[in-house]
Amino acid sequence: TFLGWAYSFQGRLDEAIASFRTTLRLAPGYAGAHAWIGDALLWKGEAQASPFLFWHAASRPSGAPVE
């Protein structure tokens, strides 16, 4: 996810999203990655996908699985 953050701050949003998706395949319960992919989608102009991902991240206690 640090790679995804780096890509995001460089404006390389497609690469950031791909990095966050890889993180979520490996650790589907990592709420931070759900929130960060939501950020990247929002910055990319794909706001319709962001609220769902933010809701998943916010609705889980730390460390709880996100499905």
Side-chain angles (χ1 to χ4, degrees):
T1 56
F2 291 116
L3 181 61
W5 266 86
Y7 285 146
S8 292
F9 288 114
Q10 293 174 352
R12 297 163 63 181
L13 298 176
D14 289 329
E15 291 163 290
I17 292 165
S19 178
F20 295 136
R21 286 190 174 140
T22 297
T23 299
L24 291 171
R25 274 194 306 276
L26 297 172
Y30 187 32
H34 283 272
W36 296 328
I37 196 172
D39 282 339
L41 289 165
L42 186 64
W43 296 332
K44 190 176 175 188
E46 297 180 19
Q48 72 280 359
S50 296
F52 176 74
L53 295 167
F54 285 128
W55 177 84
H56 267 299
S59 68
R60 304 287 187 227
S62 180
V66 178
E67 299 171 13

Short mmCIF file of all heavy atoms in Angstrom, two decimals:
data_model
loop_
_atom_site.label_atom_id
_atom_site.label_comp_id
_atom_site.label_asym_id
_atom_site.label_seq_id
_atom_site.Cartn_x
_atom_site.Cartn_y
_atom_site.Cartn_z
N THR A 1 0.81 -1.20 0.00
CA THR A 1 0.00 0.00 0.00
C THR A 1 0.85 1.26 0.00
O THR A 1 0.39 2.28 -0.46
CB THR A 1 -0.96 0.01 1.19
OG1 THR A 1 -0.22 -0.11 2.37
CG2 THR A 1 -2.01 -1.05 1.07
N PHE A 2 2.08 1.19 0.51
CA PHE A 2 2.93 2.37 0.43
C PHE A 2 3.25 2.70 -1.02
O PHE A 2 3.35 3.87 -1.39
CB PHE A 2 4.22 2.18 1.23
CG PHE A 2 3.98 2.16 2.71
CD1 PHE A 2 4.24 1.02 3.46
CD2 PHE A 2 3.46 3.27 3.36
CE1 PHE A 2 4.00 0.99 4.82
CE2 PHE A 2 3.22 3.25 4.72
CZ PHE A 2 3.49 2.11 5.45
N LEU A 3 3.38 1.66 -1.84
CA LEU A 3 3.60 1.88 -3.26
C LEU A 3 2.39 2.59 -3.87
O LEU A 3 2.53 3.54 -4.64
CB LEU A 3 3.87 0.56 -3.97
CG LEU A 3 4.14 0.64 -5.47
CD1 LEU A 3 5.38 1.48 -5.75
CD2 LEU A 3 4.32 -0.77 -6.03
N GLY A 4 1.20 2.16 -3.50
CA GLY A 4 -0.01 2.81 -3.97
C GLY A 4 -0.08 4.27 -3.56
O GLY A 4 -0.46 5.14 -4.34
N TRP A 5 0.30 4.54 -2.31
CA TRP A 5 0.34 5.94 -1.83
C TRP A 5 1.31 6.76 -2.67
O TRP A 5 1.01 7.87 -3.07
CB TRP A 5 0.77 5.98 -0.37
CG TRP A 5 -0.36 5.98 0.58
CD1 TRP A 5 -1.01 4.90 1.07
CD2 TRP A 5 -0.97 7.12 1.16
NE1 TRP A 5 -2.00 5.31 1.92
CE2 TRP A 5 -1.99 6.65 2.00
CE3 TRP A 5 -0.76 8.48 1.05
CZ2 TRP A 5 -2.81 7.51 2.72
CZ3 TRP A 5 -1.57 9.34 1.78
CH2 TRP A 5 -2.59 8.85 2.60
N ALA A 6 2.50 6.20 -2.91
CA ALA A 6 3.51 6.92 -3.69
C ALA A 6 2.98 7.22 -5.09
O ALA A 6 3.12 8.34 -5.58
CB ALA A 6 4.79 6.09 -3.77
N TYR A 7 2.36 6.22 -5.71
CA TYR A 7 1.78 6.45 -7.03
C TYR A 7 0.70 7.53 -6.97
O TYR A 7 0.63 8.39 -7.86
CB TYR A 7 1.17 5.16 -7.58
CG TYR A 7 2.15 4.14 -8.09
CD1 TYR A 7 1.88 2.78 -7.96
CD2 TYR A 7 3.33 4.49 -8.73
CE1 TYR A 7 2.75 1.82 -8.43
CE2 TYR A 7 4.21 3.54 -9.20
CZ TYR A 7 3.92 2.21 -9.05
OH TYR A 7 4.78 1.26 -9.52
N SER A 8 -0.13 7.50 -5.95
CA SER A 8 -1.20 8.49 -5.82
C SER A 8 -0.64 9.91 -5.76
O SER A 8 -1.13 10.81 -6.45
CB SER A 8 -2.02 8.25 -4.55
OG SER A 8 -2.76 7.07 -4.65
N PHE A 9 0.38 10.10 -4.95
CA PHE A 9 0.95 11.44 -4.78
C PHE A 9 1.72 11.90 -6.01
O PHE A 9 1.94 13.10 -6.18
CB PHE A 9 1.80 11.52 -3.52
CG PHE A 9 0.96 11.49 -2.28
CD1 PHE A 9 1.04 10.42 -1.42
CD2 PHE A 9 0.07 12.51 -1.99
CE1 PHE A 9 0.25 10.37 -0.27
CE2 PHE A 9 -0.72 12.48 -0.86
CZ PHE A 9 -0.63 11.41 0.00
N GLN A 10 2.10 10.97 -6.87
CA GLN A 10 2.74 11.32 -8.14
C GLN A 10 1.71 11.55 -9.24
O GLN A 10 2.07 11.86 -10.36
CB GLN A 10 3.71 10.23 -8.56
CG GLN A 10 4.90 10.08 -7.66
CD GLN A 10 5.76 8.89 -8.02
OE1 GLN A 10 5.40 8.05 -8.86
NE2 GLN A 10 6.92 8.79 -7.39
N GLY A 11 0.43 11.33 -8.92
CA GLY A 11 -0.62 11.48 -9.92
C GLY A 11 -0.77 10.26 -10.82
O GLY A 11 -1.50 10.30 -11.81
N ARG A 12 -0.13 9.17 -10.47
CA ARG A 12 -0.20 7.93 -11.27
C ARG A 12 -1.33 7.07 -10.70
O ARG A 12 -1.11 6.03 -10.10
CB ARG A 12 1.15 7.23 -11.20
CG ARG A 12 2.26 8.06 -11.82
CD ARG A 12 3.65 7.63 -11.43
NE ARG A 12 3.97 6.28 -11.87
CZ ARG A 12 5.13 5.69 -11.62
NH1 ARG A 12 6.08 6.32 -10.96
NH2 ARG A 12 5.33 4.45 -12.03
N LEU A 13 -2.55 7.53 -10.92
CA LEU A 13 -3.71 6.96 -10.25
C LEU A 13 -4.04 5.54 -10.70
O LEU A 13 -4.46 4.72 -9.89
CB LEU A 13 -4.91 7.88 -10.40
CG LEU A 13 -4.71 9.27 -9.77
CD1 LEU A 13 -5.92 10.16 -10.05
CD2 LEU A 13 -4.45 9.16 -8.28
N ASP A 14 -3.88 5.25 -11.97
CA ASP A 14 -4.16 3.88 -12.43
C ASP A 14 -3.22 2.88 -11.76
O ASP A 14 -3.65 1.79 -11.34
CB ASP A 14 -4.03 3.77 -13.95
CG ASP A 14 -5.16 4.48 -14.68
OD1 ASP A 14 -6.29 4.52 -14.13
OD2 ASP A 14 -4.92 4.98 -15.79
N GLU A 15 -1.96 3.26 -11.63
CA GLU A 15 -1.00 2.39 -10.96
C GLU A 15 -1.30 2.28 -9.47
O GLU A 15 -1.15 1.21 -8.87
CB GLU A 15 0.42 2.89 -11.19
CG GLU A 15 0.85 2.75 -12.64
CD GLU A 15 2.05 3.59 -12.97
OE1 GLU A 15 1.93 4.82 -13.01
OE2 GLU A 15 3.13 2.99 -13.17
N ALA A 16 -1.73 3.38 -8.87
CA ALA A 16 -2.10 3.37 -7.45
C ALA A 16 -3.27 2.42 -7.22
O ALA A 16 -3.25 1.59 -6.30
CB ALA A 16 -2.47 4.77 -6.98
N ILE A 17 -4.29 2.52 -8.06
CA ILE A 17 -5.47 1.66 -7.93
C ILE A 17 -5.08 0.20 -8.10
O ILE A 17 -5.53 -0.66 -7.34
CB ILE A 17 -6.56 2.11 -8.93
CG1 ILE A 17 -7.10 3.48 -8.51
CG2 ILE A 17 -7.67 1.07 -9.04
CD1 ILE A 17 -7.91 4.19 -9.57
N ALA A 18 -4.23 -0.09 -9.07
CA ALA A 18 -3.76 -1.47 -9.27
C ALA A 18 -3.01 -1.97 -8.04
O ALA A 18 -3.19 -3.12 -7.61
CB ALA A 18 -2.88 -1.55 -10.51
N SER A 19 -2.20 -1.12 -7.44
CA SER A 19 -1.45 -1.50 -6.24
C SER A 19 -2.39 -1.78 -5.07
O SER A 19 -2.23 -2.77 -4.35
CB SER A 19 -0.46 -0.39 -5.87
OG SER A 19 0.23 -0.72 -4.70
N PHE A 20 -3.39 -0.92 -4.89
CA PHE A 20 -4.35 -1.14 -3.81
C PHE A 20 -5.17 -2.41 -4.05
O PHE A 20 -5.48 -3.14 -3.11
CB PHE A 20 -5.28 0.07 -3.64
CG PHE A 20 -4.56 1.32 -3.19
CD1 PHE A 20 -4.84 2.53 -3.79
CD2 PHE A 20 -3.61 1.29 -2.19
CE1 PHE A 20 -4.19 3.68 -3.38
CE2 PHE A 20 -2.95 2.43 -1.77
CZ PHE A 20 -3.24 3.64 -2.37
N ARG A 21 -5.51 -2.68 -5.29
CA ARG A 21 -6.25 -3.92 -5.60
C ARG A 21 -5.41 -5.15 -5.29
O ARG A 21 -5.93 -6.16 -4.79
CB ARG A 21 -6.72 -3.92 -7.05
CG ARG A 21 -7.87 -2.98 -7.26
CD ARG A 21 -8.51 -3.12 -8.61
NE ARG A 21 -9.69 -2.28 -8.65
CZ ARG A 21 -10.07 -1.55 -9.67
NH1 ARG A 21 -9.35 -1.56 -10.78
NH2 ARG A 21 -11.15 -0.81 -9.62
N THR A 22 -4.12 -5.08 -5.57
CA THR A 22 -3.23 -6.19 -5.22
C THR A 22 -3.22 -6.39 -3.71
O THR A 22 -3.31 -7.52 -3.22
CB THR A 22 -1.80 -5.93 -5.73
OG1 THR A 22 -1.84 -5.85 -7.15
CG2 THR A 22 -0.84 -7.02 -5.30
N THR A 23 -3.12 -5.29 -2.97
CA THR A 23 -3.16 -5.37 -1.51
C THR A 23 -4.44 -6.03 -1.04
O THR A 23 -4.42 -6.90 -0.15
CB THR A 23 -3.03 -3.97 -0.88
OG1 THR A 23 -1.78 -3.41 -1.26
CG2 THR A 23 -3.14 -4.02 0.63
N LEU A 24 -5.56 -5.65 -1.63
CA LEU A 24 -6.85 -6.19 -1.21
C LEU A 24 -7.01 -7.66 -1.58
O LEU A 24 -7.70 -8.40 -0.88
CB LEU A 24 -7.99 -5.36 -1.79
CG LEU A 24 -8.08 -3.96 -1.18
CD1 LEU A 24 -9.08 -3.11 -1.94
CD2 LEU A 24 -8.43 -4.04 0.30
N ARG A 25 -6.36 -8.11 -2.66
CA ARG A 25 -6.38 -9.54 -2.97
C ARG A 25 -5.60 -10.32 -1.92
O ARG A 25 -5.98 -11.42 -1.54
CB ARG A 25 -5.79 -9.80 -4.36
CG ARG A 25 -6.79 -9.67 -5.48
CD ARG A 25 -6.27 -10.26 -6.78
NE ARG A 25 -4.99 -9.76 -7.21
CZ ARG A 25 -4.79 -8.64 -7.89
NH1 ARG A 25 -5.82 -7.88 -8.22
NH2 ARG A 25 -3.58 -8.26 -8.25
N LEU A 26 -4.50 -9.74 -1.46
CA LEU A 26 -3.65 -10.42 -0.48
C LEU A 26 -4.17 -10.29 0.94
O LEU A 26 -3.97 -11.18 1.77
CB LEU A 26 -2.22 -9.87 -0.56
CG LEU A 26 -1.52 -10.10 -1.90
CD1 LEU A 26 -0.19 -9.33 -1.93
CD2 LEU A 26 -1.28 -11.58 -2.13
N ALA A 27 -4.80 -9.15 1.24
CA ALA A 27 -5.30 -8.88 2.60
C ALA A 27 -6.67 -8.21 2.49
O ALA A 27 -6.80 -7.00 2.68
CB ALA A 27 -4.33 -7.99 3.36
N PRO A 28 -7.71 -8.99 2.15
CA PRO A 28 -9.02 -8.40 1.90
C PRO A 28 -9.63 -7.67 3.10
O PRO A 28 -10.50 -6.84 2.94
CB PRO A 28 -9.89 -9.58 1.48
CG PRO A 28 -9.14 -10.80 1.87
CD PRO A 28 -7.70 -10.44 1.98
N GLY A 29 -9.14 -7.94 4.28
CA GLY A 29 -9.68 -7.28 5.46
C GLY A 29 -9.01 -5.98 5.81
O GLY A 29 -9.35 -5.36 6.82
N TYR A 30 -8.06 -5.53 5.02
CA TYR A 30 -7.31 -4.32 5.34
C TYR A 30 -8.14 -3.10 4.95
O TYR A 30 -8.17 -2.67 3.80
CB TYR A 30 -5.97 -4.34 4.63
CG TYR A 30 -5.04 -3.22 5.01
CD1 TYR A 30 -5.04 -2.67 6.28
CD2 TYR A 30 -4.13 -2.72 4.10
CE1 TYR A 30 -4.18 -1.66 6.63
CE2 TYR A 30 -3.26 -1.71 4.44
CZ TYR A 30 -3.30 -1.18 5.70
OH TYR A 30 -2.44 -0.17 6.04
N ALA A 31 -8.82 -2.52 5.94
CA ALA A 31 -9.74 -1.41 5.68
C ALA A 31 -9.03 -0.20 5.09
O ALA A 31 -9.60 0.52 4.27
CB ALA A 31 -10.46 -1.03 6.97
N GLY A 32 -7.78 0.04 5.48
CA GLY A 32 -7.04 1.18 4.94
C GLY A 32 -6.94 1.14 3.43
O GLY A 32 -7.10 2.16 2.76
N ALA A 33 -6.70 -0.03 2.88
CA ALA A 33 -6.60 -0.15 1.42
C ALA A 33 -7.93 0.15 0.75
O ALA A 33 -7.96 0.72 -0.34
CB ALA A 33 -6.09 -1.52 1.03
N HIS A 34 -9.04 -0.22 1.40
CA HIS A 34 -10.35 0.12 0.84
C HIS A 34 -10.54 1.63 0.80
O HIS A 34 -11.03 2.18 -0.19
CB HIS A 34 -11.47 -0.53 1.67
CG HIS A 34 -11.63 -1.99 1.41
ND1 HIS A 34 -12.44 -2.48 0.42
CD2 HIS A 34 -11.07 -3.06 2.01
CE1 HIS A 34 -12.39 -3.79 0.43
NE2 HIS A 34 -11.56 -4.17 1.38
N ALA A 35 -10.15 2.30 1.87
CA ALA A 35 -10.29 3.76 1.91
C ALA A 35 -9.37 4.42 0.89
O ALA A 35 -9.78 5.35 0.19
CB ALA A 35 -9.99 4.27 3.31
N TRP A 36 -8.14 3.94 0.79
CA TRP A 36 -7.18 4.56 -0.12
C TRP A 36 -7.54 4.34 -1.58
O TRP A 36 -7.35 5.23 -2.41
CB TRP A 36 -5.77 4.07 0.16
CG TRP A 36 -5.31 4.46 1.53
CD1 TRP A 36 -5.65 5.59 2.23
CD2 TRP A 36 -4.46 3.72 2.38
NE1 TRP A 36 -5.05 5.58 3.46
CE2 TRP A 36 -4.31 4.45 3.59
CE3 TRP A 36 -3.79 2.51 2.27
CZ2 TRP A 36 -3.52 4.01 4.64
CZ3 TRP A 36 -3.01 2.08 3.33
CH2 TRP A 36 -2.87 2.82 4.50
N ILE A 37 -8.08 3.17 -1.91
CA ILE A 37 -8.51 2.97 -3.29
C ILE A 37 -9.72 3.88 -3.58
O ILE A 37 -9.85 4.42 -4.66
CB ILE A 37 -8.80 1.49 -3.61
CG1 ILE A 37 -8.86 1.28 -5.13
CG2 ILE A 37 -10.08 1.00 -2.98
CD1 ILE A 37 -8.95 -0.18 -5.55
N GLY A 38 -10.54 4.09 -2.55
CA GLY A 38 -11.64 5.04 -2.70
C GLY A 38 -11.14 6.44 -2.97
O GLY A 38 -11.67 7.16 -3.83
N ASP A 39 -10.09 6.86 -2.25
CA ASP A 39 -9.47 8.17 -2.50
C ASP A 39 -8.99 8.26 -3.95
O ASP A 39 -9.25 9.25 -4.65
CB ASP A 39 -8.27 8.40 -1.59
CG ASP A 39 -8.64 8.80 -0.18
OD1 ASP A 39 -9.78 9.28 0.03
OD2 ASP A 39 -7.79 8.62 0.72
N ALA A 40 -8.25 7.25 -4.38
CA ALA A 40 -7.68 7.28 -5.73
C ALA A 40 -8.78 7.33 -6.79
O ALA A 40 -8.67 8.06 -7.78
CB ALA A 40 -6.77 6.07 -5.94
N LEU A 41 -9.85 6.57 -6.59
CA LEU A 41 -10.97 6.60 -7.54
C LEU A 41 -11.63 7.97 -7.54
O LEU A 41 -12.01 8.49 -8.60
CB LEU A 41 -11.98 5.51 -7.20
CG LEU A 41 -11.52 4.09 -7.50
CD1 LEU A 41 -12.43 3.08 -6.82
CD2 LEU A 41 -11.47 3.85 -9.00
N LEU A 42 -11.76 8.56 -6.38
CA LEU A 42 -12.35 9.90 -6.28
C LEU A 42 -11.48 10.91 -7.02
O LEU A 42 -11.98 11.72 -7.81
CB LEU A 42 -12.50 10.29 -4.81
CG LEU A 42 -13.21 11.59 -4.51
CD1 LEU A 42 -14.66 11.53 -4.97
CD2 LEU A 42 -13.14 11.88 -3.02
N TRP A 43 -10.18 10.88 -6.80
CA TRP A 43 -9.27 11.80 -7.47
C TRP A 43 -9.26 11.58 -8.97
O TRP A 43 -9.04 12.51 -9.74
CB TRP A 43 -7.85 11.65 -6.94
CG TRP A 43 -7.69 12.01 -5.50
CD1 TRP A 43 -8.44 12.91 -4.79
CD2 TRP A 43 -6.75 11.48 -4.58
NE1 TRP A 43 -8.01 12.96 -3.49
CE2 TRP A 43 -6.97 12.10 -3.33
CE3 TRP A 43 -5.73 10.54 -4.69
CZ2 TRP A 43 -6.20 11.81 -2.21
CZ3 TRP A 43 -4.97 10.26 -3.57
CH2 TRP A 43 -5.21 10.88 -2.35
N LYS A 44 -9.51 10.35 -9.39
CA LYS A 44 -9.54 10.03 -10.82
C LYS A 44 -10.84 10.47 -11.47
O LYS A 44 -10.96 10.48 -12.68
CB LYS A 44 -9.32 8.52 -11.00
CG LYS A 44 -9.09 8.12 -12.42
CD LYS A 44 -8.78 6.65 -12.53
CE LYS A 44 -8.68 6.30 -14.01
NZ LYS A 44 -8.56 4.89 -14.21
N GLY A 45 -11.83 10.84 -10.65
CA GLY A 45 -13.11 11.25 -11.19
C GLY A 45 -14.13 10.14 -11.25
O GLY A 45 -15.16 10.26 -11.89
N GLU A 46 -13.85 9.04 -10.59
CA GLU A 46 -14.77 7.91 -10.56
C GLU A 46 -15.46 7.86 -9.19
O GLU A 46 -15.42 6.86 -8.48
CB GLU A 46 -14.02 6.61 -10.85
CG GLU A 46 -13.43 6.60 -12.25
CD GLU A 46 -12.68 5.34 -12.59
OE1 GLU A 46 -12.87 4.31 -11.92
OE2 GLU A 46 -11.89 5.38 -13.54
N ALA A 47 -16.09 8.96 -8.86
CA ALA A 47 -16.69 9.12 -7.53
C ALA A 47 -17.80 8.12 -7.26
O ALA A 47 -18.08 7.80 -6.10
CB ALA A 47 -17.22 10.54 -7.37
N GLN A 48 -18.44 7.57 -8.28
CA GLN A 48 -19.52 6.63 -8.07
C GLN A 48 -19.05 5.38 -7.36
O GLN A 48 -19.81 4.74 -6.64
CB GLN A 48 -20.23 6.27 -9.38
CG GLN A 48 -19.44 5.39 -10.33
CD GLN A 48 -18.38 6.12 -11.15
OE1 GLN A 48 -18.23 7.32 -11.05
NE2 GLN A 48 -17.67 5.38 -11.98
N ALA A 49 -17.79 5.01 -7.50
CA ALA A 49 -17.26 3.82 -6.84
C ALA A 49 -16.76 4.11 -5.43
O ALA A 49 -16.70 3.22 -4.60
CB ALA A 49 -16.11 3.24 -7.67
N SER A 50 -16.41 5.35 -5.16
CA SER A 50 -15.78 5.70 -3.89
C SER A 50 -16.65 5.52 -2.66
O SER A 50 -16.18 4.97 -1.66
CB SER A 50 -15.25 7.12 -3.94
OG SER A 50 -14.24 7.22 -4.90
N PRO A 51 -17.91 5.97 -2.65
CA PRO A 51 -18.68 5.87 -1.39
C PRO A 51 -18.80 4.45 -0.87
O PRO A 51 -18.72 4.21 0.34
CB PRO A 51 -20.05 6.42 -1.76
CG PRO A 51 -19.79 7.33 -2.92
CD PRO A 51 -18.64 6.67 -3.66
N PHE A 52 -18.95 3.48 -1.75
CA PHE A 52 -19.05 2.08 -1.32
C PHE A 52 -17.77 1.65 -0.61
O PHE A 52 -17.81 1.03 0.44
CB PHE A 52 -19.32 1.18 -2.53
CG PHE A 52 -19.33 -0.28 -2.19
CD1 PHE A 52 -20.41 -0.83 -1.51
CD2 PHE A 52 -18.27 -1.08 -2.53
CE1 PHE A 52 -20.42 -2.18 -1.19
CE2 PHE A 52 -18.27 -2.43 -2.21
CZ PHE A 52 -19.34 -2.97 -1.54
N LEU A 53 -16.63 1.99 -1.17
CA LEU A 53 -15.36 1.59 -0.57
C LEU A 53 -15.12 2.32 0.74
O LEU A 53 -14.64 1.73 1.70
CB LEU A 53 -14.22 1.84 -1.56
CG LEU A 53 -14.30 0.96 -2.82
CD1 LEU A 53 -13.34 1.46 -3.88
CD2 LEU A 53 -14.00 -0.49 -2.48
N PHE A 54 -15.46 3.60 0.80
CA PHE A 54 -15.31 4.35 2.05
C PHE A 54 -16.22 3.76 3.12
O PHE A 54 -15.84 3.63 4.27
CB PHE A 54 -15.65 5.83 1.86
CG PHE A 54 -14.59 6.61 1.14
CD1 PHE A 54 -14.91 7.37 0.04
CD2 PHE A 54 -13.27 6.58 1.57
CE1 PHE A 54 -13.95 8.11 -0.62
CE2 PHE A 54 -12.29 7.31 0.91
CZ PHE A 54 -12.63 8.07 -0.19
N TRP A 55 -17.44 3.40 2.74
CA TRP A 55 -18.38 2.84 3.71
C TRP A 55 -17.83 1.55 4.29
O TRP A 55 -17.88 1.32 5.49
CB TRP A 55 -19.74 2.58 3.06
CG TRP A 55 -20.69 1.95 4.02
CD1 TRP A 55 -21.46 2.57 4.95
CD2 TRP A 55 -20.93 0.54 4.17
NE1 TRP A 55 -22.17 1.64 5.67
CE2 TRP A 55 -21.86 0.39 5.21
CE3 TRP A 55 -20.46 -0.59 3.53
CZ2 TRP A 55 -22.34 -0.84 5.62
CZ3 TRP A 55 -20.92 -1.82 3.94
CH2 TRP A 55 -21.85 -1.94 4.97
N HIS A 56 -17.28 0.69 3.43
CA HIS A 56 -16.70 -0.56 3.91
C HIS A 56 -15.57 -0.30 4.90
O HIS A 56 -15.46 -0.96 5.92
CB HIS A 56 -16.18 -1.41 2.76
CG HIS A 56 -17.17 -2.40 2.25
ND1 HIS A 56 -17.69 -3.39 3.03
CD2 HIS A 56 -17.74 -2.54 1.05
CE1 HIS A 56 -18.54 -4.11 2.33
NE2 HIS A 56 -18.59 -3.61 1.12
N ALA A 57 -14.71 0.65 4.57
CA ALA A 57 -13.58 0.94 5.44
C ALA A 57 -14.06 1.51 6.78
O ALA A 57 -13.55 1.15 7.83
CB ALA A 57 -12.63 1.92 4.76
N ALA A 58 -15.05 2.38 6.75
CA ALA A 58 -15.50 3.05 7.96
C ALA A 58 -16.39 2.18 8.82
O ALA A 58 -16.51 2.40 10.02
CB ALA A 58 -16.25 4.32 7.59
N SER A 59 -17.01 1.17 8.23
CA SER A 59 -17.99 0.38 8.97
C SER A 59 -17.36 -0.78 9.73
O SER A 59 -18.06 -1.50 10.42
CB SER A 59 -19.06 -0.15 8.02
OG SER A 59 -18.50 -1.10 7.13
N ARG A 60 -16.07 -0.95 9.63
CA ARG A 60 -15.40 -2.06 10.29
C ARG A 60 -14.47 -1.56 11.39
O ARG A 60 -13.76 -0.58 11.18
CB ARG A 60 -14.57 -2.86 9.29
CG ARG A 60 -15.35 -3.36 8.11
CD ARG A 60 -16.25 -4.51 8.52
NE ARG A 60 -16.85 -5.07 7.34
CZ ARG A 60 -18.14 -5.36 7.24
NH1 ARG A 60 -18.93 -5.14 8.23
NH2 ARG A 60 -18.62 -5.86 6.15
N PRO A 61 -14.48 -2.25 12.51
CA PRO A 61 -13.45 -1.91 13.50
C PRO A 61 -12.06 -2.27 12.97
O PRO A 61 -11.94 -3.07 12.06
CB PRO A 61 -13.81 -2.78 14.71
CG PRO A 61 -14.80 -3.76 14.24
CD PRO A 61 -15.36 -3.30 12.92
N SER A 62 -11.06 -1.67 13.50
CA SER A 62 -9.69 -1.91 13.05
C SER A 62 -9.38 -3.40 13.07
O SER A 62 -9.60 -4.08 14.07
CB SER A 62 -8.71 -1.16 13.95
OG SER A 62 -7.40 -1.40 13.52
N GLY A 63 -8.89 -3.89 11.96
CA GLY A 63 -8.49 -5.29 11.86
C GLY A 63 -9.62 -6.24 11.50
O GLY A 63 -9.39 -7.41 11.26
N ALA A 64 -10.86 -5.75 11.44
CA ALA A 64 -11.99 -6.63 11.10
C ALA A 64 -12.01 -6.86 9.59
O ALA A 64 -11.66 -5.98 8.82
CB ALA A 64 -13.30 -5.99 11.54
N PRO A 65 -12.42 -8.04 9.17
CA PRO A 65 -12.47 -8.33 7.73
C PRO A 65 -13.47 -7.43 7.00
O PRO A 65 -14.51 -7.08 7.54
CB PRO A 65 -12.93 -9.78 7.66
CG PRO A 65 -12.81 -10.33 9.02
CD PRO A 65 -12.80 -9.18 9.97
N VAL A 66 -13.11 -7.06 5.81
CA VAL A 66 -14.00 -6.30 4.93
C VAL A 66 -14.35 -7.21 3.79
O VAL A 66 -13.49 -7.73 3.12
CB VAL A 66 -13.31 -5.02 4.40
CG1 VAL A 66 -14.23 -4.28 3.46
CG2 VAL A 66 -12.89 -4.13 5.56
N GLU A 67 -15.64 -7.44 3.58
CA GLU A 67 -16.08 -8.37 2.53
C GLU A 67 -16.73 -7.63 1.41
O GLU A 67 -17.27 -6.61 1.55
CB GLU A 67 -17.03 -9.38 3.12
CG GLU A 67 -16.36 -10.19 4.20
CD GLU A 67 -17.33 -11.07 4.96
OE1 GLU A 67 -18.48 -11.25 4.50
OE2 GLU A 67 -16.95 -11.57 6.00
#
